[in-house]
Amino acid sequence: MVVNHQQSRNMATLKAISIRLKSVKNIQKITQSMKMVSAAKYTRAERELKAARPYGEGAVQFYEKAEVAPPEDEPKQLFIAMTSDRGLCGAVHTGVSKVIRTRLSEPGAENIKVICVGDKSRAILQRLYSKHIISVCNEIGRLPPTFLDAARIANAIMTSGYDFGSGKIIYNKFKSVVSYAQSNLPLFSRNAVESAPKLAVYDSLDSDVLQSYMEFSLASMLFYALKEGACSEQSSRMTAMDNASKNAGEMIDKLTLTFNRTRQAVITRELIEIISGAAALD
Amino acid sequence: MEFQPQYKITMSYTLRSLLRTVSRKLQVRSYAAEAAAPKEGEMAFTFAAGNKVFYDKQVVKQVDVPSFSGAFGILPKHVPTLAVLKPGVVTVTENDGKQSKIFVSSGTITVNEDSSVQVLAEEAHPLENLDRAAAQEALSKAQSEFNSAANEQAKAEAAIAVEVAEEIVKAASA
């Protein structure tokens, strides 16, 4: 408050400027080390993502090749928002939440339920759409995602008691260090798969096999989406923190300049005071 | 070399297999390009696990998989099917006859109409990486957990652990 008051008269004291300068320097140190940390985490995430890509593609192949379509008589849908608990990473989480928010603001939204993976999507969606959220998973993003995490989420979806006809997993698909885009993976109920036009060509299917198959492929898709999300998040945090460090650098430059100028002004003023005092005595 | 469509159908098997050996030789030279676009009648085999990718759309000769409805072999042009992996050893015979044996814990098998095969496992490791002593230890631990399981769910989970550990011991000692 004091700083503001003095700045409005363009007479910031030396003390106020040096306090500000110090705090900006500290912020820069923090953002710089956060960038280093996420750079290390990003390299690991990218390596793991490379291994997970064929896995995710393989899991979706069956649904594509069997031409499974969402059932028309079952309007209930499930959306899964793949985000994480951690912020300070650009628009990664808002992007995913925005896709869901747009869908929820369209007509027919009363048939849609949402599962939030990660605290961030919950924080964004709960204010306006809390009645759509059926469950939230947190503790995502601190450690690299594992298959066990995916299996737990899949289990939570399966035991949620919500009979959806179709759905989507909304996640960030990693493209390069500087770009990612929201993408989605399809979810289907067993009825939808059973009524797929090309299912008949598949041999020796019984409902047990189909059930186990679908459960596992749900976990695989979630695993893949988690990996893509983690990689996008780290790369985006890296860029965000790099920008923050740059901005802090600019601010430090400006503040140093003001600090030096003010110091010079103080010295000049004191000199004038001494000289004019001496002159008055003569 | 271009064939008329009718001629293609009546083309003798010897000629076809000759062609295939030639294409196989080519494959050795330009494996990446060949693997990217498997030809008609060959199977594009994807074998991935949570920890590693073993094959990505590569062309292989045969795959033997253990499933809940019994172990079976997959050759090119297998009838489309879905199956669930059982703990056990997946044997992949590559085009040059090299066999690799990989242990899987659980997962799915998909054979599609276009002869592409996906084996997705939760966890998979080559057989030579398995340690028999460690597997034995895991087995006895799983058994004691099974015996001391308090409720149905814990019992079922321990039963799965026992089954997996038994298979690992079997695979490691073979």
Side-chain angles (χ1 to χ4, degrees):
Chain A
M1 193 61 213
V2 177
V3 176
N4 276 344
H5 174 67
Q6 294 200 324
Q7 266 186 345
S8 64
R9 288 195 288 162
N10 206 12
M11 288 255 289
T13 60
L14 268 182
K15 182 77 179 160
I17 294 173
S18 76
I19 288 171
R20 223 168 145 212
L21 193 56
K22 210 170 163 192
S23 96
V24 176
K25 272 184 183 158
N26 282 338
I27 290 170
Q28 195 194 29
K29 268 184 213 153
I30 292 168
T31 55
Q32 249 164 6
S33 51
M34 275 179 87
K35 189 201 152 196
M36 302 298 268
V37 170
S38 54
K41 282 191 178 167
Y42 160 74
T43 5
R44 182 169 174 197
E46 201 206 3
R47 203 175 54 231
E48 287 181 345
L49 176 64
K50 260 188 200 142
R53 277 239 161 106
Y55 199 75
E57 279 161 15
V60 193
Q61 286 249 315
F62 163 68
Y63 296 101
E64 275 172 11
K65 293 207 167 135
E67 291 169 14
V68 183
E72 277 155 20
D73 51 340
E74 180 58 86
K76 279 186 185 167
Q77 284 187 302
L78 178 73
F79 278 72
I80 303 174
M82 304 300 278
T83 58
S84 86
D85 289 356
R86 302 290 172 105
L88 295 178
C89 49
V92 168
H93 303 318
T94 25
V96 167
S97 308
K98 207 190 235 165
V99 172
I100 290 174
R101 223 168 42 199
T102 319
R103 184 65 193 83
L104 285 177
S105 61
E106 282 167 14
E110 62 278 1
N111 287 320
I112 298 175
K113 293 279 180 221
V114 178
I115 288 183
C116 297
V117 177
D119 273 341
K120 285 287 161 187
S121 56
R122 190 203 58 185
I124 298 168
L125 293 172
Q126 74 174 355
R127 207 161 57 88
L128 284 171
Y129 302 104
S130 57
K131 61 177 191 295
H132 291 283
I133 298 175
I134 45 178
S135 62
V136 178
C137 318
N138 51 15
E139 269 300 301
I140 303 277
R142 198 165 59 83
L143 297 167
T146 61
F147 196 86
L148 192 64
D149 297 334
R152 283 203 182 122
I153 299 170
N155 196 30
I157 294 167
M158 231 88 75
T159 53
S160 67
Y162 178 63
D163 293 320
F164 54 93
S166 63
K168 277 185 180 125
I169 303 174
I170 313 281
Y171 67 103
N172 286 301
K173 193 175 169 69
F174 174 78
K175 282 187 186 154
S176 73
V177 190
V178 286
S179 91
Y180 57 86
Q182 281 77 47
S183 183
N184 63 67
L185 290 170
L187 287 176
F188 298 105
S189 64
R190 223 174 84 195
N191 287 341
V193 174
E194 275 167 358
S195 57
K198 281 180 117 182
L199 192 77
V201 302
Y202 287 85
D203 189 37
S204 70
L205 281 185
D206 52 54
S207 62
D208 253 10
V209 167
L210 203 59
Q211 180 69 29
S212 314
Y213 183 89
M214 288 187 60
E215 282 174 13
F216 190 82
S217 72
L218 175 63
S220 316
M221 282 195 275
L222 286 168
F223 175 68
Y224 169 62
L226 277 175
K227 287 278 179 212
E228 286 273 5
C231 194
S232 314
E233 186 190 324
Q234 295 304 345
S235 75
S236 166
R237 178 170 295 127
M238 222 162 73
T239 332
M241 286 303 116
D242 192 35
N243 287 340
S245 308
K246 260 186 218 150
N247 289 344
E250 268 173 37
M251 226 164 147
I252 290 169
D253 285 348
K254 272 187 196 155
L255 280 172
T256 325
L257 196 68
T258 331
F259 179 77
N260 288 344
R261 259 193 205 145
T262 320
R263 193 187 55 197
Q264 198 55 54
V266 170
I267 294 167
T268 319
R269 203 184 64 216
E270 282 175 4
L271 273 177
I272 291 170
E273 277 167 11
I274 294 164
I275 294 165
S276 45
L281 286 177
D282 284 343
Chain B
M1 193 157 58
E2 285 230 344
F3 291 108
Q4 290 298 309
Q6 306 98 307
Y7 190 62
K8 218 174 201 172
I9 298 161
T10 53
M11 185 170 63
S12 69
Y13 272 100
T14 36
L15 185 57
R16 206 180 280 180
S17 63
L18 186 79
L19 271 177
R20 209 172 280 168
T21 34
V22 171
S23 71
R24 219 171 279 157
K25 265 179 200 155
L26 281 173
Q27 217 167 62
V28 179
R29 244 177 261 162
S30 60
Y31 204 59
E34 202 71 27
K39 283 199 276 300
E40 179 71 32
E42 288 178 318
M43 65 172 169
F45 179 58
T46 306
F47 182 7
N51 54 331
K52 198 182 163 189
V53 176
F54 292 90
Y55 295 89
D56 185 10
K57 296 192 186 112
Q58 276 184 37
V59 176
V60 296
K61 204 193 272 177
Q62 187 186 346
V63 187
D64 296 315
V65 286
S67 89
F68 275 113
S69 39
F72 63 98
I74 304 166
L75 283 162
K77 296 206 166 166
H78 190 279
V79 62
T81 189
L82 300 179
V84 183
L85 274 177
K86 203 170 85 141
V89 179
V90 172
T91 312
V92 183
T93 313
E94 284 172 31
N95 272 341
D96 54 5
K98 200 181 119 228
Q99 280 200 337
S100 43
K101 289 175 185 262
I102 298 152
F103 184 86
V104 292
S105 61
S106 63
T108 58
I109 306 151
T110 319
V111 183
N112 286 312
E113 217 182 349
D114 60 355
S115 236
S116 65
V117 178
Q118 281 101 37
V119 175
L120 302 178
E122 188 182 343
E123 187 104 26
H125 289 283
L127 217 52
E128 58 267 24
N129 290 1
L130 296 180
D131 179 14
R132 185 152 189 260
Q136 203 85 52
E137 205 176 293
L139 176 60
S140 50
K141 200 178 148 216
Q143 271 164 343
S144 71
E145 255 169 45
F146 179 69
N147 291 330
S148 62
N151 55 29
E152 282 297 308
Q153 200 188 345
K155 214 171 180 81
E157 276 173 13
I160 293 168
V162 169
E163 192 191 347
V164 174
E166 268 173 1
E167 286 298 328
I168 295 176
V169 171
K170 215 194 280 172
S173 33

Short mmCIF file of all heavy atoms in Angstrom, two decimals, chain A residues 207-232:
data_model
loop_
_atom_site.label_atom_id
_atom_site.label_comp_id
_atom_site.label_asym_id
_atom_site.label_seq_id
_atom_site.Cartn_x
_atom_site.Cartn_y
_atom_site.Cartn_z
N SER A 207 -19.78 -63.60 -23.86
CA SER A 207 -19.94 -62.32 -23.16
C SER A 207 -18.85 -62.12 -22.10
O SER A 207 -18.46 -60.99 -21.82
CB SER A 207 -21.32 -62.24 -22.53
OG SER A 207 -21.45 -63.26 -21.59
N ASP A 208 -18.34 -63.23 -21.55
CA ASP A 208 -17.27 -63.12 -20.55
C ASP A 208 -16.01 -62.52 -21.16
O ASP A 208 -15.41 -61.61 -20.59
CB ASP A 208 -16.93 -64.53 -20.03
CG ASP A 208 -17.44 -64.72 -18.62
OD1 ASP A 208 -18.21 -63.84 -18.18
OD2 ASP A 208 -17.06 -65.72 -17.99
N VAL A 209 -15.65 -63.07 -22.33
CA VAL A 209 -14.46 -62.60 -23.02
C VAL A 209 -14.62 -61.12 -23.36
O VAL A 209 -13.73 -60.31 -23.14
CB VAL A 209 -14.20 -63.43 -24.29
CG1 VAL A 209 -13.17 -62.76 -25.19
CG2 VAL A 209 -13.74 -64.82 -23.93
N LEU A 210 -15.80 -60.78 -23.89
CA LEU A 210 -16.06 -59.40 -24.30
C LEU A 210 -15.96 -58.46 -23.11
O LEU A 210 -15.36 -57.39 -23.20
CB LEU A 210 -17.44 -59.32 -24.94
CG LEU A 210 -17.65 -58.15 -25.89
CD1 LEU A 210 -16.65 -58.20 -27.03
CD2 LEU A 210 -19.06 -58.16 -26.43
N GLN A 211 -16.53 -58.89 -21.99
CA GLN A 211 -16.51 -58.06 -20.79
C GLN A 211 -15.07 -57.80 -20.34
O GLN A 211 -14.66 -56.65 -20.12
CB GLN A 211 -17.31 -58.76 -19.67
CG GLN A 211 -17.38 -58.00 -18.37
CD GLN A 211 -18.22 -56.73 -18.52
OE1 GLN A 211 -19.13 -56.67 -19.33
NE2 GLN A 211 -17.90 -55.71 -17.74
N SER A 212 -14.29 -58.89 -20.24
CA SER A 212 -12.90 -58.75 -19.80
C SER A 212 -12.12 -57.91 -20.79
O SER A 212 -11.31 -57.06 -20.42
CB SER A 212 -12.21 -60.11 -19.68
OG SER A 212 -13.02 -61.00 -19.02
N TYR A 213 -12.39 -58.16 -22.07
CA TYR A 213 -11.68 -57.42 -23.11
C TYR A 213 -11.93 -55.93 -22.98
O TYR A 213 -11.02 -55.11 -23.05
CB TYR A 213 -12.13 -57.92 -24.48
CG TYR A 213 -11.38 -57.26 -25.62
CD1 TYR A 213 -10.20 -57.79 -26.09
CD2 TYR A 213 -11.86 -56.10 -26.20
CE1 TYR A 213 -9.49 -57.18 -27.10
CE2 TYR A 213 -11.17 -55.47 -27.21
CZ TYR A 213 -9.99 -56.02 -27.66
OH TYR A 213 -9.30 -55.40 -28.66
N MET A 214 -13.21 -55.59 -22.77
CA MET A 214 -13.56 -54.17 -22.71
C MET A 214 -12.99 -53.50 -21.47
O MET A 214 -12.56 -52.36 -21.51
CB MET A 214 -15.07 -54.00 -22.76
CG MET A 214 -15.58 -54.29 -24.14
SD MET A 214 -17.29 -53.91 -24.28
CE MET A 214 -17.27 -52.20 -23.90
N GLU A 215 -12.99 -54.25 -20.37
CA GLU A 215 -12.43 -53.70 -19.14
C GLU A 215 -10.95 -53.39 -19.33
O GLU A 215 -10.47 -52.33 -18.97
CB GLU A 215 -12.63 -54.67 -17.97
CG GLU A 215 -14.04 -54.64 -17.43
CD GLU A 215 -14.27 -55.70 -16.38
OE1 GLU A 215 -13.31 -56.30 -15.89
OE2 GLU A 215 -15.46 -55.91 -16.06
N PHE A 216 -10.25 -54.35 -19.92
CA PHE A 216 -8.82 -54.13 -20.10
C PHE A 216 -8.55 -53.01 -21.09
O PHE A 216 -7.65 -52.20 -20.89
CB PHE A 216 -8.13 -55.42 -20.56
CG PHE A 216 -6.64 -55.32 -20.54
CD1 PHE A 216 -5.95 -55.52 -19.36
CD2 PHE A 216 -5.93 -54.97 -21.67
CE1 PHE A 216 -4.58 -55.39 -19.31
CE2 PHE A 216 -4.56 -54.83 -21.64
CZ PHE A 216 -3.88 -55.05 -20.46
N SER A 217 -9.35 -52.96 -22.16
CA SER A 217 -9.06 -51.92 -23.16
C SER A 217 -9.40 -50.54 -22.62
O SER A 217 -8.76 -49.56 -22.99
CB SER A 217 -9.78 -52.20 -24.48
OG SER A 217 -11.14 -51.98 -24.36
N LEU A 218 -10.36 -50.47 -21.70
CA LEU A 218 -10.64 -49.18 -21.05
C LEU A 218 -9.42 -48.72 -20.25
O LEU A 218 -8.98 -47.57 -20.36
CB LEU A 218 -11.86 -49.31 -20.13
CG LEU A 218 -12.20 -48.09 -19.28
CD1 LEU A 218 -12.57 -46.92 -20.17
CD2 LEU A 218 -13.33 -48.39 -18.32
N ALA A 219 -8.84 -49.67 -19.50
CA ALA A 219 -7.65 -49.34 -18.72
C ALA A 219 -6.50 -48.94 -19.64
O ALA A 219 -5.78 -47.99 -19.35
CB ALA A 219 -7.25 -50.51 -17.84
N SER A 220 -6.36 -49.64 -20.76
CA SER A 220 -5.27 -49.31 -21.68
C SER A 220 -5.43 -47.91 -22.25
O SER A 220 -4.48 -47.15 -22.35
CB SER A 220 -5.22 -50.28 -22.87
OG SER A 220 -5.39 -51.57 -22.46
N MET A 221 -6.68 -47.58 -22.62
CA MET A 221 -6.91 -46.25 -23.19
C MET A 221 -6.66 -45.17 -22.16
O MET A 221 -6.07 -44.13 -22.48
CB MET A 221 -8.34 -46.16 -23.73
CG MET A 221 -8.50 -46.84 -25.06
SD MET A 221 -10.01 -46.38 -25.87
CE MET A 221 -11.15 -47.50 -25.16
N LEU A 222 -7.08 -45.42 -20.93
CA LEU A 222 -6.84 -44.44 -19.88
C LEU A 222 -5.35 -44.27 -19.63
O LEU A 222 -4.86 -43.15 -19.44
CB LEU A 222 -7.54 -44.87 -18.58
CG LEU A 222 -9.05 -44.71 -18.56
CD1 LEU A 222 -9.63 -45.43 -17.37
CD2 LEU A 222 -9.43 -43.24 -18.52
N PHE A 223 -4.64 -45.38 -19.66
CA PHE A 223 -3.19 -45.36 -19.46
C PHE A 223 -2.53 -44.49 -20.52
O PHE A 223 -1.72 -43.60 -20.22
CB PHE A 223 -2.66 -46.79 -19.52
CG PHE A 223 -1.16 -46.90 -19.45
CD1 PHE A 223 -0.50 -46.57 -18.28
CD2 PHE A 223 -0.44 -47.34 -20.54
CE1 PHE A 223 0.88 -46.69 -18.21
CE2 PHE A 223 0.93 -47.46 -20.47
CZ PHE A 223 1.59 -47.13 -19.30
N TYR A 224 -2.95 -44.72 -21.76
CA TYR A 224 -2.40 -43.96 -22.88
C TYR A 224 -2.73 -42.47 -22.73
O TYR A 224 -1.86 -41.61 -22.89
CB TYR A 224 -2.98 -44.53 -24.17
CG TYR A 224 -2.72 -43.71 -25.40
CD1 TYR A 224 -1.43 -43.47 -25.83
CD2 TYR A 224 -3.78 -43.18 -26.13
CE1 TYR A 224 -1.20 -42.73 -26.96
CE2 TYR A 224 -3.56 -42.43 -27.27
CZ TYR A 224 -2.26 -42.21 -27.68
OH TYR A 224 -2.04 -41.45 -28.78
N ALA A 225 -3.98 -42.18 -22.36
CA ALA A 225 -4.39 -40.78 -22.21
C ALA A 225 -3.62 -40.11 -21.07
O ALA A 225 -3.23 -38.94 -21.16
CB ALA A 225 -5.89 -40.69 -21.96
N LEU A 226 -3.37 -40.86 -20.00
CA LEU A 226 -2.59 -40.32 -18.87
C LEU A 226 -1.19 -39.96 -19.33
O LEU A 226 -0.65 -38.91 -18.97
CB LEU A 226 -2.50 -41.35 -17.75
CG LEU A 226 -3.65 -41.46 -16.76
CD1 LEU A 226 -3.40 -42.63 -15.82
CD2 LEU A 226 -3.80 -40.19 -15.96
N LYS A 227 -0.59 -40.85 -20.12
CA LYS A 227 0.78 -40.61 -20.58
C LYS A 227 0.84 -39.39 -21.49
O LYS A 227 1.73 -38.55 -21.37
CB LYS A 227 1.30 -41.84 -21.35
CG LYS A 227 1.62 -43.00 -20.45
CD LYS A 227 3.00 -42.85 -19.85
CE LYS A 227 3.30 -44.00 -18.92
NZ LYS A 227 4.16 -43.63 -17.82
N GLU A 228 -0.11 -39.31 -22.42
CA GLU A 228 -0.15 -38.16 -23.33
C GLU A 228 -0.32 -36.87 -22.52
O GLU A 228 0.35 -35.87 -22.76
CB GLU A 228 -1.33 -38.28 -24.31
CG GLU A 228 -1.14 -39.30 -25.40
CD GLU A 228 -0.42 -38.75 -26.63
OE1 GLU A 228 0.01 -37.59 -26.60
OE2 GLU A 228 -0.29 -39.50 -27.60
N GLY A 229 -1.23 -36.93 -21.54
CA GLY A 229 -1.51 -35.76 -20.72
C GLY A 229 -0.28 -35.34 -19.94
O GLY A 229 0.05 -34.16 -19.88
N ALA A 230 0.41 -36.32 -19.34
CA ALA A 230 1.58 -36.00 -18.52
C ALA A 230 2.67 -35.35 -19.36
O ALA A 230 3.31 -34.38 -18.93
CB ALA A 230 2.11 -37.27 -17.87
N CYS A 231 2.85 -35.86 -20.57
CA CYS A 231 3.90 -35.32 -21.43
C CYS A 231 3.55 -33.90 -21.87
O CYS A 231 4.39 -33.00 -21.82
CB CYS A 231 4.07 -36.23 -22.64
SG CYS A 231 5.56 -35.92 -23.55
N SER A 232 2.29 -33.68 -22.26
CA SER A 232 1.87 -32.32 -22.67
C SER A 232 2.03 -31.36 -21.50
O SER A 232 2.47 -30.23 -21.68
CB SER A 232 0.42 -32.30 -23.11
OG SER A 232 0.12 -33.35 -23.95
#
